[in-house]
Amino acid sequence: MKYIMPALICAVLLLALSRKKPAYELFIEGAADGLKMLKSVLPPMIAIMSSVYMARASGAFDLLVGFVSRFTDKIGMSGELIPLALIRPLSGSGSMGIFTDILNRCGADSAVGKAASVMYGSTETTFYCLCVYFSRTRVKNTLKAVPYAVFGDIVSVVCAVLITSLF
């Protein structure tokens, strides 16, 4: 496993040599293109991450969890899953931390652990992806995609809870 990256680098270099391409110059061009893309993607990423961490630090997130739990109790969703359902559309690393915490506290084979696993695997970092893709493609009318994406996340969360409660 530890030899995969060196083998991949050697394969790319051999391929470039066999096609008589300037490998180093192409590498530098690719790195420059990556930095250009990073310049357009980084500001939305920083905005999302900052808002998530500010909401958690201020206590606003706990208030939101309390409010949402009134509705999720009706479908049998454990209150422990609400933070994962709320953070997952915003932050992949934040949701991974919450997911890991749920598995450590409840266990992977518990009903909550199973629901969290299915929820984590079937949802997406929706707002992160929308920010990155729309900033990269310079789409101006982004509000049409947001309701559909949020609806997809809600359906994924509800289905994860319902399906894992059946099995």
Side-chain angles (χ1 to χ4, degrees), residues 21-120:
K21 300 279 184 179
Y24 182 74
E25 288 81 9
L26 292 174
F27 175 78
I28 297 300
E29 277 182 40
D33 289 344
L35 286 175
K36 288 176 190 171
M37 186 182 74
L38 183 64
K39 181 182 172 188
S40 68
V41 169
L42 195 59
M45 285 176 43
I46 290 172
I48 287 175
M49 298 301 174
S50 298
S51 62
V52 167
Y53 290 118
M54 285 190 302
R56 289 181 82 184
S58 70
F61 186 70
D62 295 330
L63 290 173
L64 183 61
V65 167
F67 176 75
V68 171
S69 68
R70 288 188 256 169
F71 302 104
T72 59
D73 289 341
K74 294 177 182 170
I75 63 165
M77 182 175 170
S78 171
E80 295 171 314
L81 296 172
I82 296 171
L84 179 61
L86 293 175
I87 292 293
R88 180 69 175 151
L90 299 170
S91 167
S93 59
S95 62
M96 176 56 90
I98 292 171
F99 175 64
T100 303
D101 184 53
I102 289 171
L103 292 184
N104 286 337
R105 280 186 292 114
C106 302
D109 292 331
S110 67
V112 173
K114 289 177 183 177
S117 298
V118 173
M119 188 184 304
Y120 188 82

Coordinates of all heavy atoms in Angstrom, one line a residue, residues 21-120:
K21 N 7.0 13.9 -23.9 CA 6.3 15.1 -23.4 C 7.2 15.6 -22.3 O 7.9 14.9 -21.5 CB 5.0 14.8 -22.8 CG 4.0 14.2 -23.8 CD 3.4 15.3 -24.6 CE 2.3 14.7 -25.5 NZ 1.7 15.7 -26.3
P22 N 7.3 17.0 -22.1 CA 8.0 17.6 -21.0 C 7.3 17.4 -19.7 O 6.4 18.2 -19.3 CB 8.2 19.0 -21.4 CG 7.0 19.3 -22.3 CD 6.7 18.0 -23.0
A23 N 7.6 16.4 -18.9 CA 6.9 16.0 -17.7 C 6.9 17.2 -16.7 O 5.9 17.5 -16.1 CB 7.4 14.7 -17.1
Y24 N 8.1 17.7 -16.4 CA 8.2 18.8 -15.4 C 7.4 20.0 -15.8 O 6.7 20.6 -14.9 CB 9.7 19.1 -15.2 CG 9.9 20.1 -14.1 CD1 9.7 19.8 -12.8 CD2 10.2 21.5 -14.4 CE1 9.9 20.7 -11.8 CE2 10.4 22.4 -13.4 CZ 10.2 22.0 -12.1 OH 10.4 23.0 -11.1
E25 N 7.5 20.4 -17.0 CA 6.7 21.6 -17.4 C 5.2 21.4 -17.4 O 4.5 22.3 -16.9 CB 7.1 22.0 -18.9 CG 8.5 22.6 -19.0 CD 9.6 21.6 -19.0 OE1 9.3 20.4 -19.1 OE2 10.8 22.0 -18.9
L26 N 4.8 20.2 -17.7 CA 3.4 19.9 -17.6 C 2.9 19.8 -16.2 O 1.8 20.2 -15.8 CB 3.1 18.6 -18.3 CG 3.2 18.6 -19.8 CD1 3.0 17.2 -20.4 CD2 2.2 19.5 -20.4
F27 N 3.8 19.3 -15.3 CA 3.5 19.3 -13.9 C 3.3 20.7 -13.3 O 2.4 21.0 -12.6 CB 4.6 18.6 -13.1 CG 4.4 18.6 -11.6 CD1 3.5 17.8 -11.0 CD2 5.1 19.5 -10.8 CE1 3.3 17.9 -9.6 CE2 5.0 19.6 -9.5 CZ 4.1 18.8 -8.8
I28 N 4.2 21.6 -13.7 CA 4.2 23.0 -13.3 C 2.9 23.7 -13.8 O 2.2 24.4 -13.1 CB 5.4 23.8 -13.7 CG1 6.7 23.2 -13.1 CG2 5.3 25.3 -13.4 CD1 6.7 23.3 -11.6
E29 N 2.5 23.4 -15.0 CA 1.3 24.0 -15.6 C 0.1 23.5 -14.8 O -0.8 24.3 -14.5 CB 1.1 23.6 -17.1 CG 1.9 24.4 -18.0 CD 1.6 23.9 -19.5 OE1 0.4 23.6 -19.8 OE2 2.6 23.9 -20.3
G30 N 0.1 22.2 -14.5 CA -1.0 21.7 -13.7 C -1.1 22.3 -12.3 O -2.2 22.5 -11.8
A31 N 0.0 22.4 -11.7 CA 0.0 23.1 -10.4 C -0.5 24.5 -10.4 O -1.2 25.0 -9.6 CB 1.4 23.0 -9.8
A32 N -0.1 25.2 -11.5 CA -0.6 26.6 -11.7 C -2.1 26.6 -11.9 O -2.8 27.5 -11.3 CB 0.1 27.3 -12.8
D33 N -2.6 25.7 -12.7 CA -4.1 25.6 -12.9 C -4.8 25.3 -11.6 O -5.8 25.8 -11.3 CB -4.4 24.6 -13.9 CG -4.0 25.0 -15.3 OD1 -3.7 26.2 -15.5 OD2 -3.9 24.1 -16.2
G34 N -4.2 24.4 -10.8 CA -4.7 24.1 -9.5 C -4.8 25.3 -8.5 O -5.8 25.5 -7.8
L35 N -3.8 26.1 -8.6 CA -3.8 27.3 -7.7 C -4.8 28.3 -8.2 O -5.5 29.0 -7.4 CB -2.4 28.0 -7.7 CG -1.4 27.2 -6.9 CD1 0.0 27.9 -7.0 CD2 -1.8 27.2 -5.4
K36 N -5.0 28.4 -9.5 CA -6.1 29.3 -10.0 C -7.5 28.8 -9.6 O -8.3 29.6 -9.2 CB -6.1 29.3 -11.6 CG -4.9 30.1 -12.1 CD -4.9 30.0 -13.6 CE -3.6 30.6 -14.2 NZ -3.4 30.3 -15.6
M37 N -7.7 27.5 -9.6 CA -9.0 27.0 -9.2 C -9.1 27.2 -7.7 O -10.2 27.6 -7.2 CB -9.1 25.5 -9.5 CG -10.4 24.9 -9.1 SD -10.6 23.2 -9.4 CE -9.7 22.5 -8.1
L38 N -8.1 27.0 -6.9 CA -8.1 27.2 -5.5 C -8.5 28.7 -5.1 O -9.2 28.9 -4.2 CB -6.8 26.9 -4.8 CG -6.7 27.0 -3.3 CD1 -7.6 25.9 -2.7 CD2 -5.3 26.7 -2.8
K39 N -8.0 29.6 -5.9 CA -8.3 31.0 -5.7 C -9.8 31.3 -5.8 O -10.4 32.1 -5.1 CB -7.6 31.9 -6.7 CG -7.8 33.3 -6.6 CD -7.0 34.1 -7.6 CE -7.4 35.6 -7.6 NZ -6.8 36.3 -8.7
S40 N -10.5 30.6 -6.7 CA -11.9 30.8 -6.9 C -12.8 29.9 -5.9 O -13.9 30.3 -5.6 CB -12.4 30.5 -8.3 OG -12.2 29.1 -8.6
V41 N -12.2 28.8 -5.4 CA -13.0 27.9 -4.5 C -12.8 28.3 -3.0 O -13.7 28.1 -2.2 CB -12.6 26.5 -4.8 CG1 -13.1 25.5 -3.8 CG2 -13.0 26.1 -6.2
L42 N -11.6 28.8 -2.7 CA -11.3 29.0 -1.3 C -12.2 29.9 -0.5 O -12.6 29.6 0.6 CB -9.8 29.4 -1.1 CG -9.2 29.3 0.3 CD1 -9.3 27.9 0.8 CD2 -7.8 29.8 0.3
P43 N -12.6 31.1 -1.0 CA -13.5 32.0 -0.3 C -14.8 31.4 0.1 O -15.2 31.5 1.3 CB -13.6 33.2 -1.2 CG -12.4 33.2 -2.0 CD -12.1 31.7 -2.2
P44 N -15.5 30.7 -0.8 CA -16.8 30.1 -0.3 C -16.6 29.0 0.7 O -17.4 28.8 1.7 CB -17.4 29.5 -1.6 CG -16.7 30.1 -2.7 CD -15.4 30.6 -2.2
M45 N -15.5 28.2 0.6 CA -15.2 27.2 1.6 C -14.9 27.8 3.0 O -15.4 27.3 4.0 CB -13.9 26.4 1.2 CG -14.2 25.4 0.1 SD -12.8 24.5 -0.5 CE -11.9 24.1 0.9
I46 N -14.2 28.9 3.0 CA -13.9 29.6 4.3 C -15.2 30.1 4.9 O -15.4 30.0 6.1 CB -12.8 30.7 4.1 CG1 -11.5 30.1 3.8 CG2 -12.7 31.6 5.3 CD1 -10.4 31.1 3.4
A47 N -16.0 30.7 4.1 CA -17.3 31.2 4.6 C -18.2 30.1 5.2 O -18.7 30.3 6.3 CB -18.1 31.9 3.4
I48 N -18.2 29.0 4.6 CA -19.1 27.9 5.1 C -18.5 27.4 6.4 O -19.1 27.2 7.4 CB -19.2 26.7 4.1 CG1 -20.1 27.2 3.0 CG2 -19.7 25.5 4.7 CD1 -20.2 26.2 1.8
M49 N -17.2 27.1 6.4 CA -16.5 26.6 7.6 C -16.6 27.5 8.8 O -16.9 27.1 9.9 CB -15.0 26.2 7.3 CG -14.8 25.2 6.3 SD -15.6 23.7 6.7 CE -15.3 22.7 5.3
S50 N -16.4 28.8 8.5 CA -16.5 29.8 9.6 C -17.9 29.9 10.2 O -18.1 30.0 11.4 CB -16.1 31.2 9.0 OG -14.8 31.2 8.6
S51 N -18.9 29.9 9.3 CA -20.3 30.0 9.8 C -20.7 28.7 10.6 O -21.3 28.8 11.6 CB -21.3 30.2 8.7 OG -21.2 29.1 7.8
V52 N -20.2 27.5 10.2 CA -20.5 26.3 11.0 C -19.9 26.4 12.3 O -20.5 26.1 13.4 CB -20.0 25.1 10.2 CG1 -20.0 23.9 11.1 CG2 -20.9 24.8 9.0
Y53 N -18.6 26.8 12.4 CA -17.9 26.8 13.7 C -18.4 27.9 14.6 O -18.5 27.8 15.8 CB -16.4 27.0 13.5 CG -15.8 25.7 12.9 CD1 -15.2 25.7 11.7 CD2 -15.9 24.5 13.6 CE1 -14.6 24.5 11.1 CE2 -15.3 23.3 13.0 CZ -14.7 23.4 11.8 OH -14.2 22.2 11.3
M54 N -18.8 29.1 14.0 CA -19.4 30.1 14.8 C -20.8 29.7 15.4 O -21.1 30.0 16.6 CB -19.6 31.4 14.0 CG -18.3 32.1 13.8 SD -18.5 33.8 13.1 CE -19.3 33.5 11.6
A55 N -21.6 29.0 14.6 CA -22.9 28.5 15.1 C -22.7 27.5 16.2 O -23.4 27.6 17.2 CB -23.7 27.9 14.0
R56 N -21.7 26.7 16.1 CA -21.5 25.7 17.2 C -20.9 26.3 18.4 O -21.3 26.0 19.5 CB -20.5 24.6 16.7 CG -21.2 23.7 15.7 CD -20.2 22.6 15.2 NE -20.2 21.5 16.2 CZ -19.4 20.5 16.1 NH1 -18.6 20.4 15.1 NH2 -19.5 19.5 17.0
A57 N -20.0 27.3 18.3 CA -19.4 27.9 19.4 C -20.4 28.9 20.1 O -20.3 29.1 21.4 CB -18.2 28.7 19.0
S58 N -21.3 29.5 19.4 CA -22.2 30.5 20.0 C -23.4 29.8 20.8 O -24.1 30.5 21.5 CB -22.8 31.4 19.0 OG -23.6 30.7 18.1
G59 N -23.6 28.6 20.5 CA -24.8 27.9 21.1 C -26.0 27.9 20.3 O -27.0 27.3 20.6
A60 N -25.9 28.6 19.1 CA -27.1 28.7 18.2 C -27.4 27.3 17.6 O -28.5 27.0 17.4 CB -26.8 29.7 17.1
F61 N -26.3 26.5 17.5 CA -26.5 25.2 16.9 C -27.3 24.3 17.9 O -28.2 23.6 17.5 CB -25.2 24.5 16.6 CG -25.3 23.2 16.0 CD1 -25.7 23.1 14.6 CD2 -25.0 22.1 16.6 CE1 -25.8 21.9 14.0 CE2 -25.1 20.8 16.0 CZ -25.5 20.8 14.7
D62 N -27.1 24.5 19.2 CA -27.8 23.7 20.2 C -29.3 24.1 20.2 O -30.2 23.3 20.4 CB -27.2 23.9 21.6 CG -25.8 23.3 21.7 OD1 -25.5 22.3 20.9 OD2 -25.0 23.8 22.5
L63 N -29.6 25.4 20.1 CA -30.9 25.9 20.0 C -31.6 25.3 18.8 O -32.8 24.9 18.8 CB -31.0 27.4 19.9 CG -30.6 28.1 21.2 CD1 -30.5 29.6 20.9 CD2 -31.6 27.8 22.3
L64 N -30.9 25.2 17.7 CA -31.5 24.7 16.4 C -31.8 23.2 16.6 O -32.8 22.7 16.2 CB -30.6 24.9 15.3 CG -31.0 24.4 13.9 CD1 -32.3 25.2 13.5 CD2 -29.9 24.7 12.9
V65 N -30.9 22.5 17.2 CA -31.1 21.0 17.5 C -32.3 20.8 18.4 O -33.1 19.9 18.1 CB -29.8 20.4 18.1 CG1 -30.1 19.0 18.7 CG2 -28.7 20.3 17.1
G66 N -32.5 21.7 19.4 CA -33.6 21.6 20.2 C -34.9 21.8 19.5 O -35.9 21.1 19.7
F67 N -34.9 22.8 18.6 CA -36.1 23.1 17.8 C -36.4 22.0 16.8 O -37.6 21.5 16.7 CB -35.9 24.4 17.0 CG -37.0 24.8 16.1 CD1 -38.2 25.3 16.6 CD2 -36.9 24.6 14.7 CE1 -39.2 25.6 15.7 CE2 -37.9 24.9 13.9 CZ -39.1 25.4 14.4
V68 N -35.4 21.5 16.1 CA -35.6 20.4 15.1 C -36.1 19.1 15.8 O -36.9 18.3 15.2 CB -34.4 20.2 14.3 CG1 -34.5 19.0 13.4 CG2 -34.1 21.5 13.5
S69 N -35.6 18.8 17.0 CA -36.0 17.6 17.7 C -37.4 17.4 17.9 O -37.9 16.3 18.0 CB -35.2 17.4 19.0 OG -35.6 18.4 19.9
R70 N -38.2 18.5 18.0 CA -39.6 18.4 18.2 C -40.3 17.7 16.9 O -41.3 17.0 17.1 CB -40.2 19.8 18.3 CG -39.9 20.4 19.7 CD -40.7 21.7 19.9 NE -39.8 22.8 19.7 CZ -40.1 24.0 19.6 NH1 -41.4 24.4 19.6 NH2 -39.2 25.0 19.4
F71 N -39.7 18.0 15.8 CA -40.3 17.4 14.6 C -39.7 16.0 14.3 O -40.4 15.1 13.8 CB -40.0 18.3 13.3 CG -40.5 19.7 13.5 CD1 -39.7 20.7 13.8 CD2 -41.9 19.9 13.4 CE1 -40.2 22.0 14.0 CE2 -42.4 21.2 13.5 CZ -41.5 22.2 13.9
T72 N -38.5 15.8 14.6 CA -37.9 14.5 14.3 C -38.3 13.4 15.3 O -38.3 12.2 14.9 CB -36.3 14.6 14.3 OG1 -35.9 15.0 15.6 CG2 -35.8 15.5 13.3
D73 N -38.8 13.8 16.4 CA -39.3 12.8 17.4 C -40.5 12.0 16.7 O -40.8 10.9 17.0 CB -39.7 13.4 18.7 CG -38.5 13.8 19.5 OD1 -37.4 13.3 19.3 OD2 -38.7 14.7 20.4
K74 N -41.2 12.7 15.9 CA -42.5 12.1 15.3 C -42.2 11.0 14.3 O -43.0 10.2 14.1 CB -43.3 13.3 14.6 CG -43.8 14.2 15.6 CD -44.6 15.4 15.0 CE -45.0 16.3 16.1 NZ -45.5 17.6 15.6
I75 N -41.0 11.0 13.7 CA -40.6 9.9 12.8 C -39.7 8.9 13.5 O -39.3 8.0 12.8 CB -39.9 10.4 11.5 CG1 -38.6 11.1 11.8 CG2 -40.8 11.3 10.7 CD1 -37.7 11.3 10.6
G76 N -39.5 9.1 14.8 CA -38.7 8.1 15.5 C -37.2 8.3 15.4 O -36.4 7.4 15.6
M77 N -36.8 9.5 15.0 CA -35.4 9.8 14.9 C -34.8 10.2 16.2 O -35.3 11.1 16.9 CB -35.2 11.0 13.9 CG -33.8 11.3 13.6 SD -33.8 12.6 12.3 CE -32.1 13.0 12.3
S78 N -33.8 9.6 16.6 CA -33.1 9.9 17.9 C -32.5 11.3 17.8 O -32.0 11.7 16.8 CB -32.0 8.8 18.1 OG -31.2 9.2 19.2
G79 N -32.5 11.9 19.0 CA -31.9 13.3 19.1 C -30.4 13.3 18.8 O -29.9 14.3 18.5
E80 N -29.8 12.1 19.0 CA -28.3 12.0 18.7 C -28.0 12.2 17.3 O -26.8 12.5 16.9 CB -27.8 10.7 19.3 CG -27.9 10.7 20.8 CD -27.6 9.3 21.4 OE1 -28.1 8.3 20.8 OE2 -26.9 9.2 22.3
L81 N -28.9 11.9 16.4 CA -28.7 12.0 14.9 C -28.9 13.4 14.4 O -28.4 13.7 13.3 CB -29.6 11.0 14.2 CG -29.4 9.5 14.5 CD1 -30.5 8.7 13.9 CD2 -28.1 9.1 14.0
I82 N -29.5 14.3 15.1 CA -29.9 15.6 14.6 C -28.6 16.4 14.2 O -28.5 17.0 13.2 CB -30.8 16.4 15.5 CG1 -32.1 15.6 15.6 CG2 -31.0 17.8 15.1 CD1 -33.0 16.1 16.7
P83 N -27.6 16.4 15.1 CA -26.4 17.2 14.7 C -25.8 16.7 13.4 O -25.3 17.5 12.6 CB -25.4 17.0 15.9 CG -26.3 16.7 17.1 CD -27.5 16.0 16.5
L84 N -25.8 15.4 13.2 CA -25.2 14.8 12.0 C -26.0 15.3 10.8 O -25.5 15.7 9.8 CB -25.1 13.3 12.1 CG -24.6 12.6 10.8 CD1 -23.2 13.0 10.5 CD2 -24.7 11.1 11.0
A85 N -27.4 15.2 10.9 CA -28.2 15.6 9.8 C -28.1 17.1 9.5 O -28.2 17.5 8.3 CB -29.7 15.3 10.2
L86 N -27.8 17.9 10.5 CA -27.7 19.4 10.2 C -26.3 19.8 9.7 O -26.2 20.7 8.9 CB -28.0 20.1 11.5 CG -29.5 20.0 12.0 CD1 -29.6 20.7 13.3 CD2 -30.4 20.6 11.0
I87 N -25.3 19.1 10.2 CA -23.9 19.5 9.8 C -23.5 18.8 8.5 O -22.7 19.4 7.7 CB -22.9 19.1 10.9 CG1 -23.2 20.0 12.1 CG2 -21.5 19.3 10.4 CD1 -22.9 21.5 11.9
R88 N -24.0 17.7 8.2 CA -23.6 17.0 7.0 C -23.7 17.8 5.7 O -22.8 17.8 4.9 CB -24.3 15.6 6.9 CG -24.0 14.8 5.7 CD -22.6 14.3 5.8 NE -22.3 13.4 4.6 CZ -21.2 13.2 4.1 NH1 -20.1 13.7 4.6 NH2 -21.0 12.4 3.1
P89 N -24.8 18.5 5.5 CA -24.9 19.3 4.2 C -23.9 20.5 4.2 O -23.6 21.0 3.1 CB -26.3 19.9 4.3 CG -27.1 19.0 5.2 CD -26.1 18.5 6.2
L90 N -23.3 20.8 5.3 CA -22.4 22.0 5.3 C -20.9 21.6 5.3 O -20.1 22.3 4.7 CB -22.7 22.8 6.6 CG -24.1 23.4 6.7 CD1 -24.3 24.0 8.0 CD2 -24.3 24.4 5.6
S91 N -20.6 20.6 6.1 CA -19.1 20.3 6.3 C -18.9 18.8 6.4 O -19.4 18.1 7.2 CB -18.7 20.9 7.6 OG -17.5 20.5 8.0
G92 N -18.0 18.3 5.5 CA -17.6 16.9 5.5 C -16.8 16.6 6.8 O -17.0 15.5 7.4
S93 N -15.8 17.4 7.1 CA -15.0 17.1 8.3 C -15.8 17.3 9.6 O -15.6 16.5 10.5 CB -13.7 18.0 8.2 OG -14.1 19.3 8.3
G94 N -16.6 18.3 9.6 CA -17.4 18.4 10.8 C -18.4 17.3 11.0 O -18.6 16.8 12.2
S95 N -19.0 16.8 10.0 CA -19.9 15.7 10.1 C -19.2 14.4 10.4 O -19.7 13.5 11.1 CB -20.8 15.6 8.8 OG -19.9 15.3 7.7
M96 N -17.9 14.3 9.9 CA -17.2 13.1 10.2 C -16.9 13.0 11.7 O -16.9 12.0 12.4 CB -15.9 13.0 9.4 CG -15.0 11.9 9.8 SD -15.7 10.3 9.7 CE -15.4 9.9 8.0
G97 N -16.6 14.2 12.3 CA -16.4 14.2 13.8 C -17.6 13.9 14.5 O -17.5 13.1 15.5
I98 N -18.7 14.4 14.1 CA -20.0 14.0 14.8 C -20.3 12.6 14.6 O -20.7 11.9 15.5 CB -21.1 14.9 14.2 CG1 -20.9 16.4 14.7 CG2 -22.5 14.4 14.7 CD1 -21.8 17.4 14.0
F99 N -20.1 12.1 13.4 CA -20.4 10.6 13.1 C -19.5 9.7 14.0 O -20.0 8.8 14.6 CB -20.1 10.4 11.6 CG -20.2 8.9 11.2 CD1 -21.4 8.3 11.3 CD2 -19.1 8.3 10.7 CE1 -21.5 6.9 10.9 CE2 -19.2 7.0 10.3 CZ -20.4 6.3 10.4
T100 N -18.2 10.1 14.1 CA -17.3 9.3 14.9 C -17.7 9.3 16.4 O -17.7 8.3 17.1 CB -15.9 9.8 14.7 OG1 -15.5 9.8 13.3 CG2 -14.9 9.0 15.5
D101 N -18.1 10.5 16.8 CA -18.6 10.6 18.2 C -19.8 9.8 18.5 O -19.9 9.1 19.5 CB -18.9 12.1 18.5 CG -19.3 12.3 20.0 OD1 -18.5 11.9 20.8 OD2 -20.3 12.9 20.2
I102 N -20.8 9.7 17.5 CA -22.0 8.9 17.7 C -21.6 7.4 17.8 O -22.1 6.7 18.6 CB -22.9 9.1 16.5 CG1 -23.6 10.5 16.6 CG2 -24.0 8.1 16.5 CD1 -24.4 10.9 15.4
L103 N -20.7 7.0 16.9 CA -20.3 5.6 16.9 C -19.5 5.2 18.2 O -19.7 4.1 18.7 CB -19.4 5.3 15.7 CG -20.1 5.3 14.3 CD1 -19.2 4.9 13.2 CD2 -21.4 4.4 14.3
N104 N -18.7 6.2 18.7 CA -18.0 5.9 19.9 C -18.9 5.8 21.1 O -18.7 5.0 22.0 CB -16.9 7.0 20.2 CG -15.7 6.8 19.3 OD1 -15.4 5.8 18.8 ND2 -15.0 7.9 19.0
R105 N -19.9 6.7 21.2 CA -20.8 6.7 22.3 C -21.9 5.6 22.2 O -22.2 5.0 23.3 CB -21.6 8.1 22.4 CG -20.8 9.2 23.0 CD -21.6 10.4 23.2 NE -21.9 11.0 21.9 CZ -23.2 11.2 21.4 NH1 -24.2 10.7 22.1 NH2 -23.4 11.7 20.3
C106 N -22.4 5.3 21.1 CA -23.5 4.4 21.0 C -23.2 3.0 20.4 O -23.9 2.1 20.6 CB -24.6 5.0 20.0 SG -25.2 6.6 20.6
G107 N -22.0 3.0 19.7 CA -21.6 1.7 19.1 C -22.1 1.6 17.7 O -23.2 2.1 17.4
A108 N -21.4 0.9 16.9 CA -21.7 0.8 15.4 C -22.9 -0.1 15.2 O -23.6 0.0 14.2 CB -20.5 0.3 14.7
D109 N -23.1 -1.1 16.1 CA -24.2 -2.0 15.9 C -25.5 -1.6 16.6 O -26.5 -2.3 16.5 CB -23.8 -3.4 16.5 CG -22.7 -4.0 15.6 OD1 -22.7 -3.7 14.4 OD2 -21.9 -4.8 16.2
S110 N -25.5 -0.5 17.3 CA -26.8 0.0 17.9 C -27.7 0.6 16.8 O -27.2 0.9 15.7 CB -26.4 1.1 18.9 OG -25.9 2.3 18.3
A111 N -28.9 0.8 17.1 CA -29.9 1.4 16.2 C -29.4 2.8 15.7 O -29.5 3.1 14.5 CB -31.3 1.5 16.8
V112 N -28.9 3.6 16.7 CA -28.5 4.9 16.4 C -27.2 4.9 15.5 O -27.1 5.6 14.5 CB -28.2 5.7 17.7 CG1 -27.5 7.1 17.4 CG2 -29.5 5.9 18.4
G113 N -26.3 3.9 15.8 CA -25.1 3.8 15.0 C -25.4 3.4 13.6 O -24.8 3.9 12.6
K114 N -26.3 2.4 13.4 CA -26.7 2.0 12.1 C -27.3 3.2 11.3 O -27.0 3.4 10.1 CB -27.6 0.8 12.1 CG -27.0 -0.5 12.6 CD -28.0 -1.6 12.7 CE -27.3 -2.8 13.3 NZ -28.3 -3.9 13.5
A115 N -28.2 3.9 11.9 CA -28.9 5.0 11.3 C -27.9 6.1 10.9 O -27.9 6.6 9.8 CB -30.0 5.6 12.2
A116 N -26.9 6.3 11.8 CA -25.9 7.3 11.5 C -25.0 6.9 10.3 O -24.7 7.7 9.5 CB -25.0 7.6 12.8
S117 N -24.7 5.6 10.3 CA -23.9 5.1 9.2 C -24.6 5.2 7.9 O -24.0 5.7 6.9 CB -23.5 3.6 9.4 OG -22.8 3.5 10.6
V118 N -25.9 4.9 7.8 CA -26.6 5.0 6.6 C -26.8 6.4 6.2 O -26.7 6.8 5.0 CB -28.0 4.2 6.7 CG1 -28.9 4.5 5.5 CG2 -27.8 2.8 6.9
M119 N -27.1 7.3 7.2 CA -27.3 8.7 7.0 C -26.0 9.3 6.4 O -26.0 10.1 5.5 CB -27.7 9.4 8.3 CG -28.1 10.8 8.1 SD -28.4 11.6 9.7 CE -29.7 10.5 10.4
Y120 N -24.9 9.0 7.0 CA -23.6 9.6 6.6 C -23.3 9.1 5.2 O -22.7 9.9 4.4 CB -22.5 9.1 7.5 CG -21.2 9.9 7.3 CD1 -21.0 11.1 7.8 CD2 -20.2 9.3 6.5 CE1 -19.8 11.8 7.5 CE2 -19.0 9.9 6.2 CZ -18.8 11.2 6.7 OH -17.6 11.9 6.5

